[in-house]
C-alpha cells in the first residue's frame, strides 16, 4: 500500500481524468478569452492619450523580481535623488502638485495683479471700459505673451488632476468593479478621467458659446466683425484652458512610453492638427471659429470615453449608449463641422484664371454632351431638371469666409482673413474631418458586428496595447498605492 502511494506521488504523468480536466479547462479558458467585452473592441477616437501613472506601471521598474535583484546588487543606500525619483514614479501626481502649491503660495503672499505669478492663475491684458461704455457689458481681454504662462501653469495643473484622480480614485474603482487585468485597469482609468473632464468642459463650452454671437453654431457670426482681437474673460479663459488640456495630452503621448495602438499615427496626427488649429486660431483672431469646433469635439469625446468605460465593465447599457454615441458623433463631428468647412471652402479662388479658361472650354463641351439627358429629366420632372440646370449653369458663389467682411491680408491692422488663411484653415479642418471619418468607419464596423451577431459579438480586434494581458498577482498588489 505504501509503495502504491509513493508511486502516485512520484508519478510524472497526470491521470486520464486529470488530463481531460486540464484540456477542458484550457479550452474553456481559450473560449472565455475570445470575448473581451460587449462591443468586442473599444470604439476608436481621439481619447486614447494615456496617463503617466498607467505608463510607468507597465515598465519593468514595477517588476518585483527585478527590484529584488537590484536591491541584492546594491552595496550602499540609494541617494536622495534616487529615492525621490522612485517616489515620483510611484506617485506621478506629486511633483505637479508641489509646483501648483508653490505658485499659489507665492500669489497668496501678495494677491494682486502686480504679483509675478498672477498671469499663471488668471487671464491677462484686460482692456478698461471707455467712459460711454455699457457697464453691464463684460470686460474685454487682449492677447499677449503672458498667455503662454497661463497655458503652462494649467498644463501642469491638469497633469496633477489627471494623475491624482486616476491613481487615487479610478484605479480603486476599477478594482472594486472586479477588473483584474492591468491593461483593462489602465484603459478604464484613462477613459474615465476623459469622461469626467468633458462632462464638465462640454456643457461649459456650450455655456460660453451661448454668451457669444456664434450661438447656436451661427456660421455667419464667425466672420462678422472680423478681426476679433479681444474676447471676454470667460471666453479667453475657456480657450486657453482647452489649449492647456491638449498640450498636456500631447506631451504625455509623445513621450512614447506606451505600446502604439493600431491608430497611433492617426492619434498623433489628430493632436498635431488640434494644437495647430488652437495656436493659429488664437494668434490670428479666428477664435469664434475655434469655439464651436471645441464644443463639437468635447461633447462627442464624453460619449466616446463613456462608451469605452461601459464596454470594459460589461455594462448592460453598453449597446444603447454606444448607439447614442454614434448619433452624437455624426451630428456634431460631421454635420456641424462640415457646415463650418463649407463656409470656408475656397470655391472662388480654387484655380488661377488661365487654368479656369481651359476648364471652361472643356466644361462647355461636356454640357453639350449631357444636354439630351437634361432634356429627358426635365420632361419627366420639370422641378428636377430646373435644379440640375441651376447647379450646372449658375456660377459658384463666394464662400462666407471670403464674402462676409473684409478679405485681405493686412499685418498693420491685423486683418488676417485672406486667401492664405482660408487655405490653411480649410486644410487643417479638412484633415481633422478626414480623421473623424476614419474613426467613424471603425465605429460603424463595430456597430455592424453587433447587428450581425444580435449583440453577441465575440471577436476582439484590439491592438496590442489594448490587450488585456494578465499581470502576476504580485504586480496586481501594486495597484493599491
Amino acid at each position: 500500500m505504501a509503495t502504491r502511494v509513493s508511486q502516485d506521488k512520484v508519478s510524472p504523468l497526470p491521470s486520464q481524468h486529470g488530463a481531460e480536466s486540464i484540456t477542458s479547462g484550457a479550452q474553456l479558458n481559450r473560449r472565455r478569452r475570445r470575448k473581451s467585452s460587449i462591443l468586442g473592441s473599444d470604439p476608436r477616437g481621439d481619447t486614447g492619450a494615456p496617463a503617466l501613472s498607467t505608463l510607468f506601471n507597465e515598465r519593468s521598474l514595477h517588476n518585483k523580481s527585478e527590484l529584488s535583484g537590484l536591491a541584492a546588487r546594491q552595496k550602499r543606500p540609494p541617494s536622495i535623488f534616487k529615492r525621490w525619483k522612485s517616489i515620483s514614479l510611484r506617485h506621478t501626481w506629486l511633483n505637479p502638485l508641489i509646483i501648483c502649491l508653490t505658485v499659489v503660495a507665492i500669489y497668496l503672499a501678495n494677491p494682486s495683479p502686480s504679483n509675478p505669478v498672477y498671469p499663471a492663475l488668471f487671464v491677462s491684458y484686460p482692456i478698461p471700459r471707455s467712459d460711454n461704455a455699457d457697464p453691464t457689458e463684460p470686460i474685454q481681454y487682449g492677447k499677449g505673451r503672458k498667455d503662454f504662462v497661463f497655458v503652462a501653469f494649467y498644463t501642469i495643473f491638469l497633469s496633477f488632476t489627471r494623475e491624482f484622480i486616476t491613481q487615487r480614485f479610478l484605479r480603486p474603482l476599477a478594482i472594486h468593479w472586479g477588473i483584474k487585468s492591468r491593461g483593462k485597469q489602465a484603459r478604464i482609468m484613462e477613459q474615465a478621467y476623459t469622461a469626467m473632464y468633458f462632462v464638465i468642459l462640454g456643457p461649459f463650452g456650450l455655456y460660453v458659446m451661448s454668451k457669444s454671437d456664434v450661438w447656436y453654431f451661427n456660421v455667419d457670426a464667425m466672420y462678422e466683425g472680423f478681426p476679433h482681437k479681444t474676447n471676454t474673460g470667460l471666453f479667453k479663459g475657456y480657450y486657453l484652458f482647452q489649449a492647456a488640456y491638449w498640450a498636456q495630452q500631447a506631451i504625455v503621448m509623445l513621450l512614447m512610453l506606451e505600446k502604439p495602438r493600431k491608430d497611433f499615427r492617426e492619434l498623433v496626427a489628430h493632436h498635431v492638427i488640434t494644437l495647430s488649429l488652437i495656436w493659429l486660431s488664437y494668434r490670428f483672431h479666428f477664435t469664434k471659429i475655434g469655439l464651436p469646433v471645441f464644443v463639437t469635439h468635447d461633447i462627442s469625446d464624453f460619449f466616446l470615453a463613456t462608451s469605452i468605460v461601459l464596454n470594459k465593465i460589461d455594462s448592460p447599457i453598453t449597446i444603447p449608449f454606444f448607439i447614442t454615441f454614434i448619433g452624437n458623433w455624426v451630428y456634431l463631428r460631421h454635420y456641424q463641422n462640415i457646415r463650418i468647412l463649407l463656409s470656408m471652402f475656397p470655391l472662388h479662388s480654387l484655380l488661377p484664371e488661365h487654368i479656369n479658361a481651359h476648364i471652361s472650354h472643356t466644361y462647355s463641351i461636356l454640357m453639350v454632351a449631357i444636354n439630351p439627358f437634361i432634356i429627358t429629366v426635365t420632361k419627366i420632372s420639370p422641378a428636377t431638371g430646373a435644379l440640375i440646370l441651376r447647379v450646372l449653369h449658375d456660377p459658384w458663389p463666394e464662400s462666407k469666409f471670403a464674402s462676409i467682411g473684409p478679405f485681405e491680408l493686412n499685418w498693420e491692422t491685423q486683418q488676417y482673413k485672406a486667401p492664405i488663411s482660408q487655405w490653411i484653415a480649410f486644410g487643417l479642418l479638412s484633415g481633422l474631418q478626414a480623421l473623424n471619418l476614419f474613426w467613424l468607419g471603425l465605429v460603424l464596423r463595430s456597430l455592424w458586428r453587433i447587428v450581425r451577431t444580435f449583440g453577441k459579438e465575440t471577436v476582439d480586434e484590439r491592438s496590442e496595447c489594448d490587450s488585456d494581458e494578465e499581470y502576476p498577482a504580485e504586480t496586481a498588489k501594486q495597484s493599491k498605492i
Side-chain angles (χ1 to χ4, degrees):
M1 186 69 173
T3 305
R4 184 177 179 181
V5 171
S6 64
Q7 288 177 352
D8 291 342
K9 289 182 179 180
V10 299
S11 176
L13 299 175
S15 64
Q16 183 178 0
H17 177 72
E20 292 176 353
S21 300
I22 293 173
T23 303
S24 61
Q27 291 175 349
L28 179 60
N29 187 42
R30 268 198 308 271
R31 287 196 299 268
R32 285 177 178 172
R33 287 178 68 85
R34 286 183 64 191
K35 185 179 189 313
S36 63
S37 59
I38 294 176
L39 299 180
S41 59
D42 291 334
R44 296 295 181 191
D46 54 357
T47 60
L52 285 172
S53 57
T54 61
L55 298 181
F56 289 128
N57 283 335
E58 296 179 1
R59 295 173 67 86
S60 59
L61 181 63
H62 289 273
N63 190 312
K64 283 197 170 183
S65 61
E66 293 187 10
L67 288 176
S68 60
L70 181 64
R73 294 191 300 269
Q74 202 169 18
K75 296 182 180 179
R76 55 185 179 182
S79 63
I80 296 177
F81 173 77
K82 290 184 177 180
R83 291 180 183 179
W84 184 256
K85 179 181 178 181
S86 178
I87 294 173
S88 299
L89 291 178
R90 288 200 309 270
H91 309 285
T92 51
W93 49 268
L94 185 58
N95 289 330
L97 175 62
I98 292 174
I99 295 174
C100 291
L101 291 178
T102 301
V103 172
V104 172
I106 294 174
Y107 172 74
L108 292 178
N110 178 25
S112 66
S114 61
N115 193 305
V117 300
Y118 182 89
L121 299 171
F122 308 100
V123 292
S124 304
Y125 305 108
I127 300 175
R129 292 193 185 96
S130 58
D131 296 336
N132 57 351
D134 186 356
T136 61
E137 289 294 323
I139 295 178
Q140 296 290 312
Y141 287 78
K143 304 169 186 176
R145 296 179 179 178
K146 293 180 181 179
D147 296 338
F148 287 103
V149 180
F150 184 91
V151 173
F153 173 79
Y154 282 100
T155 299
I156 299 172
F157 173 77
L158 288 170
S159 298
F160 159 70
T161 59
R162 185 183 185 93
E163 301 306 314
F164 184 80
I165 292 174
T166 53
Q167 289 189 37
R168 292 297 184 179
F169 295 99
L170 297 180
R171 177 175 286 146
L173 184 61
I175 296 173
H176 174 73
W177 283 335
I179 306 298
K180 297 181 180 180
S181 164
R182 291 300 293 267
K184 274 192 175 183
Q185 287 181 12
R187 191 79 169 133
I188 287 177
M189 290 159 59
E190 296 157 5
Q191 298 301 318
Y193 175 81
T194 301
M196 293 171 61
Y197 177 85
F198 286 119
V199 79
I200 298 173
L201 267 292
F204 184 66
L206 281 173
Y207 174 76
V208 174
M209 188 166 66
S210 69
K211 297 296 181 180
S212 69
D213 50 0
V214 296
W215 178 263
Y216 173 80
F217 299 105
N218 184 351
V219 175
D220 291 355
M222 298 177 190
Y223 309 111
E224 293 172 348
F226 191 89
H228 307 128
K229 300 178 184 179
T230 63
N231 300 110
T232 64
L234 186 69
F235 191 116
K236 178 176 179 176
Y238 167 80
Y239 215 88
L240 295 180
F241 192 82
Q242 287 281 62
Y245 172 82
W246 286 106
Q248 194 273 337
Q249 290 275 90
I251 290 171
V252 174
M253 184 188 65
L254 294 178
L255 288 176
M256 294 293 291
L257 297 174
E258 64 168 350
K259 293 181 182 179
R261 289 170 21 170
K262 286 181 180 179
D263 60 345
F264 183 73
R265 287 179 296 181
E266 289 80 10
L267 193 62
V268 172
H270 172 274
H271 281 62
V272 171
I273 292 174
T274 299
L275 290 172
S276 300
L277 284 170
I278 293 172
W279 158 244
L280 292 174
S281 64
Y282 189 77
R283 169 61 181 85
F284 296 103
H285 312 317
F286 291 103
T287 50
K288 288 192 175 182
I289 301 176
L291 175 60
V293 174
F294 267 138
V295 171
T296 56
H297 285 72
D298 289 355
I299 297 175
S300 56
D301 273 340
F302 163 74
F303 283 91
L304 169 62
T306 306
S307 293
I308 294 175
V309 173
L310 295 176
N311 187 42
K312 286 296 183 185
I313 65 176
D314 295 330
S315 171
I317 66 169
T318 298
I319 293 179
F321 195 91
F322 180 64
I323 295 173
T324 303
F325 149 69
I326 294 176
N328 182 280
W329 178 285
V330 171
Y331 172 72
L332 291 173
R333 292 211 177 193
H334 298 294
Y335 173 71
Q336 291 294 353
N337 276 272
I338 288 175
R339 286 182 64 237
I340 298 174
L341 266 176
L342 292 177
S343 73
M344 61 177 62
F345 189 57
L347 298 172
H348 189 70
S349 58
L350 193 58
L351 294 171
E353 289 298 328
H354 67 281
I355 297 179
N356 283 328
H358 294 289
I359 293 177
S360 298
H361 178 68
T362 306
Y363 180 75
S364 62
I365 297 175
L366 176 64
M367 287 299 301
V368 172
I370 67 173
N371 191 54
F373 168 76
I374 298 175
I375 294 174
T376 303
V377 172
T378 304
K379 290 179 180 179
I380 298 174
S381 174
T384 305
L387 177 61
I388 294 175
L389 288 173
R390 186 167 64 252
V391 171
L392 294 177
H393 287 287
D394 285 359
W396 285 106
E398 284 189 307
S399 64
K400 293 183 178 181
F401 189 102
S403 60
I404 299 178
F407 187 62
E408 61 178 357
L409 181 61
N410 190 325
W411 291 92
E412 293 182 359
T413 61
Q414 301 185 44
Q415 169 53 252
Y416 305 122
K417 194 160 70 69
I420 184 172
S421 59
Q422 184 180 15
W423 280 101
I424 293 173
F426 181 79
L428 289 173
L429 285 175
S430 296
L432 191 61
Q433 184 61 213
L435 291 171
N436 288 333
L437 287 170
F438 166 77
W439 283 316
L440 177 64
L442 299 180
V443 168
L444 293 179
R445 188 170 63 181
S446 297
L447 178 63
W448 167 244
R449 288 200 301 265
I450 294 172
V451 173
R452 186 184 59 191
T453 60
F454 300 99
K456 298 180 180 179
E457 173 62 56
T458 58
V459 178
D460 190 359
E461 295 185 358
R462 292 165 302 171
S463 59
E464 291 182 1
C465 73
D466 293 332
S467 62
D468 298 328
E469 180 182 356
E470 294 294 341
Y471 284 66
E474 294 81 8
T475 310
K477 293 179 182 178
Q478 297 176 13
S479 61
K480 299 179 182 180
I481 297 177

